[in-house]
Amino acid sequence: MAIDKSDPSTFNHQYANVNNIRMHYVDENSTSNKVVLLIHGWPDLWLGWREQIPFLVNLDYRVIAPTLRGFGETDAPESHEEYGYGTVSKDLLSLMDHLEIPTFTVVAHDWGGGVAWRFAQFYPDRVLNVGCYCTPYVPPSREFVPLDKVVEALPNFKYQLRLSSPEAEKEINDNIPAFFARVFRPSSEAHEAWIDPETGTVIAGRPVVPKSDMIPQKVYDHYVSIYTKTGSHGSLNWYKQGWNNFVQCKDLGDNVNQPALMVVATLDSALPPFMSDNMHKYIPNLEKHTIEGAGHWVLWEKPDECNEILKNWLAKVYPLDS
């Protein structure tokens, strides 16, 4: 069956037991020995890469897009203590071991970017190259900084305080169709803040907006169906990871030594471009690009630009004919 990027059922869905969880993943073009591992963020699923998966397959890369722990059809441990960058990196490494893939390139977005940078540091002999959309690299903290202190320095992260609260889980679970209609919007249609400045809510009590025409109906239906089945608890555990990430990563070095790609979107309010300004200090082999007029969902808002940047970078660091 040919991949239809607007129909999630046309992708090759697989499952594996890795690192004590059952993980869902999409695996396309398995005969290629050049593997690109795509890592999604929140409240996304593997499907956030729907514009990139067939593009990379057509170039003849093997593409593996897992659903991270806490999300979708992958197990979601109840306790937030069973998460963190080190734990998730081990999930991904275990998946690649299961598939008998020794080395690969990692490309990520949003929370997946936080994982990808650390994954590259934990397993430099396995991760050959690392690329990221929106999420900047920052060195591991040597002292624990709680989220409220992070927000003082980076007010654009204020929404995370809400998402780490019990109230956020209930309001999302009670309003899943409206939540995805509101969150998955291109920058040109996103006229309101992620969090209501008056009520402090994500979705509760806010006007219902129609689904964006940029989100195919079957794609929207898939997100709504998955979250209706699983709820948002596991995915929201990712916003309670400050301590886990500190403990699991504090002994890593400051630098990422692999060839790296960073792509920022000028209208990304969650991860604004200035956050990546110092990355070159820690990544000797860094290539950086800016996509104008796109927000946080740049992967599908400006897919042609995202894909062209990725194609050109891979041709240099991970060519198919080598």
Side-chain angles (χ1 to χ4, degrees):
M1 181 189 297
I3 298 173
D4 176 355
K5 64 186 180 184
S6 298
D7 184 349
S9 70
T10 65
F11 292 78
N12 178 30
H13 297 268
Q14 299 293 328
Y15 302 85
N17 294 315
V18 296
N19 199 25
N20 301 313
I21 62 169
R22 183 176 187 261
M23 176 174 274
H24 165 266
Y25 63 101
V26 162
D27 186 357
E28 301 288 351
N29 196 28
S30 60
T31 57
S32 173
N33 65 354
K34 295 288 178 141
V35 179
V36 179
L37 177 68
L38 301 176
I39 312 179
H40 69 83
W42 184 92
D44 229 327
L45 304 166
W46 66 272
L47 189 53
W49 296 102
R50 61 189 174 275
E51 294 282 355
Q52 286 68 47
I53 295 170
F55 176 80
L56 290 169
V57 167
N58 286 337
L59 293 176
D60 202 28
Y61 287 97
R62 180 177 183 177
V63 183
I64 297 170
T67 302
L68 297 175
R69 88 164 44 207
F71 293 87
E73 295 181 82
T74 292
D75 285 350
E78 183 75 15
S79 172
H80 68 271
E81 295 178 1
E82 294 185 56
Y83 293 75
Y85 290 152
T87 300
V88 176
S89 292
K90 190 173 180 184
D91 292 346
L92 297 171
L93 191 78
S94 298
L95 176 63
M96 301 312 264
D97 286 346
H98 168 77
L99 295 172
E100 300 182 345
I101 299 170
T103 58
F104 43 90
T105 290
V106 174
V107 182
H109 175 251
D110 190 74
W111 272 118
V115 172
W117 296 121
R118 298 295 181 248
F119 191 25
Q121 292 177 298
F122 277 118
Y123 304 107
D125 57 330
R126 304 290 296 276
V127 179
L128 298 178
N129 315 284
V130 56
C132 197
Y133 291 85
C134 300
T135 310
Y137 172 77
V138 292
S141 297
R142 306 307 169 195
E143 296 181 7
F144 176 59
V145 182
L147 181 57
D148 58 342
K149 295 297 182 184
V150 173
V151 171
E152 286 181 14
L154 294 167
N156 50 295
F157 280 1
K158 187 175 180 180
Y159 71 93
Q160 296 194 8
L161 291 172
R162 179 66 180 185
L163 294 179
S164 63
S165 72
E167 292 79 14
E169 180 182 343
K170 183 179 189 313
E171 64 168 302
I172 292 173
N173 290 350
D174 288 348
N175 299 278
I176 287 169
F179 170 73
F180 280 105
R182 175 172 282 276
V183 170
F184 282 159
R185 309 190 76 73
S187 53
S188 60
E189 300 174 18
H191 303 306
E192 297 179 289
W194 276 58
I195 304 294
D196 188 300
E198 294 184 9
T199 65
T201 62
V202 179
I203 190 64
R206 305 182 82 177
V208 175
V209 297
K211 175 190 75 65
S212 170
D213 289 341
M214 289 194 71
I215 304 295
Q217 188 65 49
K218 288 182 179 179
V219 168
Y220 172 79
D221 291 345
H222 183 81
Y223 283 102
V224 170
S225 173
I226 289 288
Y227 270 79
T228 299
K229 290 176 186 173
T230 66
S232 61
H233 180 83
S235 72
L236 289 170
N237 273 335
W238 282 70
Y239 289 94
K240 304 166 187 172
Q241 290 316 295
W243 177 254
N244 286 349
N245 289 338
F246 164 68
V247 171
Q248 293 175 18
C249 302
K250 61 184 174 59
D251 295 327
L252 293 170
D254 283 345
N255 289 3
V256 170
N257 295 314
Q258 294 96 322
L261 172 71
M262 180 68 205
V263 182
V264 299
T266 56
L267 301 181
D268 188 346
S269 59
L271 294 164
F274 77 84
M275 293 182 64
S276 66
D277 287 351
N278 292 322
M279 285 177 55
H280 63 281
K281 297 179 181 177
Y282 306 104
I283 306 178
N285 195 350
L286 176 66
E287 180 175 318
K288 196 173 174 188
H289 294 268
T290 299
I291 296 181
E292 302 284 343
H296 188 64
W297 307 117
V298 64
L299 293 172
W300 50 260
E301 193 174 346
K302 298 275 189 174
D304 292 345
E305 290 181 53
C306 287
N307 291 351
E308 189 67 16
I309 289 169
L310 186 55
K311 173 186 173 181
N312 292 337
W313 178 67
L314 288 171
K316 286 178 276 191
V317 303
Y318 200 47
L320 287 159
D321 55 1
S322 65

